């Protein structure tokens, strides 16, 4: 980077880069905004799924009750709006994978279900809300991949005639306790917690942040969050650009 280019870098970016360089146990907590730069739609932004019109509200369709009673309509919406094909990891995902490979990042705790962190190379990923890449028969437990869901309309069925359900957490369903416990364990150990691409509006996931007792709390989000005033550093910018700079991603 030339001296002229360096002068254009915001001081907040430079501060985060120094923090990451000095940190020994980084944990990243992320939401939908991490994947929007890959073309995955945000749920709660102005153009997100919750601001579009359907026969039923998205919150209703993506509930356990609706899935049990109206599976054909659930899968029509699910395939159309949640199974976004052809997306690739962006610089945020790749930067986090680089930090993990360097031994600095110990865990990614994500609210996303798209599997892009793993696609970028991250290994220690804790998916609070599950993954579209995993699906299982509700009767016998047999595993099915994403391709099976995409090509088994209207409702995917197992060879045993059981219904195949995505391994995603629907409304009215609880989070996986093992994943919560592991996420809390990492957050408690972290000296630096980076929160990125989330408005922190979804509970109980957002409640995990209360377990952080480290020195550096950094927020990277395009809009404000309820805990901006508690952070050491707040950056309202593109998370992919910020992390790519901070990790010297080529």
């Amino acid at each position: 980077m030339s001296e002229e280019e360096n002068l254009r870098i915001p001081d907040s970016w430079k501060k985060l880069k120094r923090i990451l360089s000095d940190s020994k146990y980084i944990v990243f907590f992320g939401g939908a905004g991490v994947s929007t730069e890959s073309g995955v739609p945000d749920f709660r932004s102005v153009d997100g799924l919750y601001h579009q019109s359907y026969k039923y509200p998205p919150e209703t369709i993506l509930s356990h009750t609706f899935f049990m009673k109206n599976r054909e309509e659930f899968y029509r919406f699910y395939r159309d709006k949640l199974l976004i094909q052809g997306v690739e990891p962006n610089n945020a995902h790749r930067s986090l994978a680089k930090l993990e490979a360097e031994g600095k990042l110990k865990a990614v705790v994500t609210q996303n279900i798209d599997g892009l962190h793993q696609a970028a190379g991250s290994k220690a990923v804790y998916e609070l809300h599950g993954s579209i890449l995993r699906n299982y028969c509700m009767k016998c437990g047999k595993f099915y991949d994403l391709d099976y869901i995409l090509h088994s309309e209207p409702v995917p069925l197992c060879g045993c005639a059981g219904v195949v359900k995505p391994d995603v957490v629907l409304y009215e369903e609880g989070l996986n306790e093992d994943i919560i416990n592991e996420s809390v364990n990492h957050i408690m150990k972290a000296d630096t917690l980076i929160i990125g691409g989330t408005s922190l509006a979804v509970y109980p996931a957002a409640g995990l942040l209360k377990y952080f007792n480290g020195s550096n709390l950094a927020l990277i989000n395009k809009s404000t969050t309820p805990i901006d005033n508690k952070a050491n550093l707040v950056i309202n910018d593109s998370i992919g650009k910020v992390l790519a700079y901070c990790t010297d991603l080529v």
Side-chain angles (χ1 to χ4, degrees):
M1 180 181 294
S2 68
E3 183 176 347
E4 181 180 350
E5 289 174 322
N6 188 57
L7 288 173
R8 292 200 297 265
I9 298 296
D11 289 341
S12 59
W13 293 29
K14 295 176 183 178
K15 181 178 179 181
L16 179 59
K17 187 172 184 176
R18 290 194 298 271
I19 288 173
L20 298 185
S21 177
D22 294 339
S23 299
K24 300 187 184 309
Y25 203 117
I26 303 169
V27 171
F28 179 82
F29 181 97
V34 177
S35 292
T36 52
E37 293 177 28
S38 291
V40 178
D42 184 0
F43 278 70
R44 288 175 172 77
S45 66
V46 173
D47 299 317
L49 293 181
Y50 289 152
H51 293 271
Q52 301 180 35
S53 298
Y54 299 96
K55 186 176 179 181
Y56 302 92
E59 297 96 328
T60 299
I61 299 174
L62 296 175
S63 70
H64 179 82
T65 298
F66 192 90
F67 176 82
M68 297 303 291
K69 293 182 177 180
N70 198 339
R71 293 186 179 121
E72 187 168 333
E73 182 67 14
F74 169 89
Y75 268 111
R76 188 181 70 82
F77 176 88
Y78 182 75
R79 290 190 184 94
D80 187 34
K81 297 300 178 183
L82 270 70
L83 302 187
I84 310 300
Q85 299 182 70
V87 294
E88 299 291 338
N90 60 56
N91 280 345
H93 301 105
R94 287 189 282 269
S95 295
L96 293 168
K98 186 172 186 285
L99 282 172
E100 181 182 338
E102 293 170 354
K104 286 184 169 290
L105 182 74
K106 305 302 183 182
V108 170
V109 181
T110 179
Q111 300 174 82
N112 296 339
I113 60 175
D114 50 45
L116 290 178
H117 284 293
Q118 293 93 326
S122 290
K123 303 290 192 297
V125 181
Y126 298 92
E127 297 169 311
L128 296 173
H129 297 154
S131 173
I132 61 173
L133 304 181
R134 298 188 300 270
N135 307 274
Y136 63 92
C137 172
M138 297 175 68
K139 187 176 180 181
C140 73
K142 182 178 179 180
F143 171 84
Y144 288 89
D145 61 14
L146 176 60
D147 189 65
Y148 187 80
I149 302 300
L150 288 168
H151 300 97
S152 55
E153 297 186 16
V155 177
L157 298 176
C158 178
C160 74
V163 173
V164 178
K165 181 183 182 296
D167 188 16
V168 298
V169 179
L170 303 177
Y171 287 102
E172 305 168 346
E173 296 179 345
L175 303 187
N176 182 290
E177 288 190 12
D178 290 338
I179 291 176
I180 292 177
N181 291 337
E182 290 170 354
S183 300
V184 168
N185 182 51
H186 281 293
I187 290 171
M188 290 177 68
K189 292 179 179 177
D191 54 15
T192 295
L193 177 62
I194 307 171
I195 300 172
T198 173
S199 61
L200 298 175
V202 178
Y203 283 81
L208 300 183
L209 306 183
K210 67 183 180 183
Y211 295 100
F212 175 64
N213 298 304
S215 304
N216 304 299
L217 176 60
L219 282 168
I220 311 171
N221 199 49
K222 290 187 176 180
S223 60
T224 59
T225 78
I227 67 167
D228 280 11
N229 62 336
K230 298 180 181 179
N232 304 73
L233 185 61
V234 177
I235 302 175
N236 298 128
D237 213 324
S238 160
I239 188 169
K241 291 179 180 178
V242 173
L243 290 181
Y245 165 78
C246 291
T247 60
D248 296 319
L249 186 70
V250 178

